[in-house]
Amino acid sequence: MNYGIVIQARTSSSRLPGKVLSDIEGLPMLFRQVDRLRQEIINIPIIVATSNETSDDPVESMCDNYDINCYRGPLDDVMLRFIECADRYNLDFFVRVGGDDPLIDPKCCKELISTHKANNYDFIYASNREGWPYGAAAELISVNKLKEIHKNTNDAFYREHTIPYFFDNFQDFNIKKVRAPEDVCRPDYYFTVDFPEDLELVRQIFKSLMNQGSYFSFKEVINLIDQNPSFLKINKHLHEGFDR
């Protein structure tokens, strides 16, 4: 079975346009995210899946500059974009990562893949209140099941957001909820970059931890916030976290 990591990214965010290319310590946020994944995940392709709109030409250019795999597909039908990307890279299963999660934990992605290898689930999610924090979690998806879903629904909401279909039709799939280790499970920590305050928090985290090197573990991120709870005031009022 072939696995891949697919990062869903675009520049046309309504709340913070262009955020995926925002500067973090001298480099684009999206590069920082890919670089973190590359540090621990080897022999599995990491792919940025962006749209074929001209607004996302800069995303492809950035990928070219940093030797990152890039696939371009429909803007709003993200489900089809994933399917086409998976077919291009010959993937049977992929880990879906949001392009606004520069602090994604590679260990979460690896845990999803190892869990799947032990049991052939259709959908595995660490994006839950007992899993990794908001902005550090991911999901593993069966490409064949995603193709079936795409054939069965024309609902624009499901096609754009992909994940809700599994939860709303859970009886039709073999689904697994993954819990995070206690030392990184923090349901009230929020690392996704949706608002300017989120970007400020992420920048402060990188600035605080990069004095030890360009790569730091997600456990170090948790330790930093545990020891400096004032960081939480930057963006906590903006998020509610996972509802599952």
Side-chain angles (χ1 to χ4, degrees):
M1 293 183 288
N2 293 327
Y3 296 93
I5 312 292
V6 180
I7 303 171
Q8 172 187 335
R10 63 186 174 97
T11 62
S12 53
S13 166
S14 59
R15 287 176 291 198
L16 190 57
K19 62 184 176 181
V20 295
L21 299 178
S22 297
D23 180 271
I24 296 180
E25 291 296 299
L27 288 168
M29 185 174 87
L30 187 56
F31 170 79
R32 291 290 187 193
Q33 183 173 18
V34 174
D35 188 53
R36 287 184 59 74
L37 291 167
R38 283 174 167 175
Q39 296 297 322
E40 293 198 34
I41 298 175
I42 58 175
N43 299 325
I44 293 176
I46 300 171
I47 308 145
V48 170
T50 192
S51 88
N52 48 26
E53 298 292 311
T54 56
S55 59
D56 285 320
D57 289 351
V59 174
E60 183 178 26
S61 296
M62 189 226 69
C63 290
D64 289 342
N65 290 339
Y66 294 104
D67 193 27
I68 298 169
N69 296 316
C70 183
Y71 180 81
R72 303 187 68 172
L75 175 64
D76 296 323
D77 192 343
V78 179
M79 192 180 293
L80 181 58
R81 193 195 312 172
F82 282 137
I83 291 169
E84 292 176 348
C85 176
D87 285 345
R88 172 70 62 85
Y89 287 89
N90 194 33
L91 306 179
D92 300 306
F93 302 89
F94 67 92
V95 175
R96 187 204 75 91
V97 176
D100 45 11
D101 296 342
L103 290 171
I104 183 70
D105 188 357
K107 287 183 170 60
C108 174
C109 299
K110 293 166 71 174
E111 178 65 21
L112 292 171
I113 292 172
S114 64
T115 299
H116 184 267
K117 287 180 176 179
N119 195 317
N120 191 17
Y121 294 102
D122 301 322
F123 178 71
I124 309 173
Y125 66 105
S127 48
N128 63 78
R129 290 190 64 81
E130 296 173 287
W132 271 257
Y134 200 70
E139 303 87 24
L140 184 144
I141 303 172
S142 161
V143 176
N144 283 338
K145 291 299 179 181
L146 203 61
K147 289 178 178 179
E148 290 179 14
I149 293 170
H150 195 265
K151 289 180 181 179
N152 291 335
T153 182
N154 290 316
D155 189 306
F157 174 80
Y158 286 137
R159 286 191 169 195
E160 179 180 0
H161 298 283
T162 308
I163 304 305
Y165 191 94
F166 286 99
F167 293 120
D168 292 348
N169 301 273
F170 66 92
Q171 69 282 352
D172 297 330
F173 304 101
N174 189 12
I175 295 177
K176 174 69 173 177
K177 175 181 178 179
V178 170
R179 293 170 173 80
E182 289 186 8
D183 61 354
V184 298
C185 183
R186 300 291 188 279
D188 297 321
Y189 288 11
Y190 309 114
F191 301 114
T192 289
V193 177
D194 283 331
F195 302 99
E197 292 89 340
D198 299 325
L199 183 58
E200 178 187 350
L201 172 63
V202 167
R203 282 172 169 164
Q204 289 198 23
I205 291 171
F206 272 87
K207 184 176 181 179
S208 298
L209 294 177
M210 283 187 62
N211 59 358
Q212 304 171 28
S214 61
Y215 178 71
F216 46 86
S217 70
F218 187 67
K219 182 62 171 66
E220 290 176 89
V221 175
I222 295 298
N223 289 344
L224 176 69
I225 306 300
D226 285 349
Q227 295 164 15
N228 298 274
S230 61
F231 276 44
L232 297 176
K233 297 178 181 179
I234 297 174
N235 73 338
K236 189 172 184 177
H237 62 291
L238 298 170
H239 300 283
E240 294 181 358
F242 298 119
D243 57 3
R244 294 175 291 275

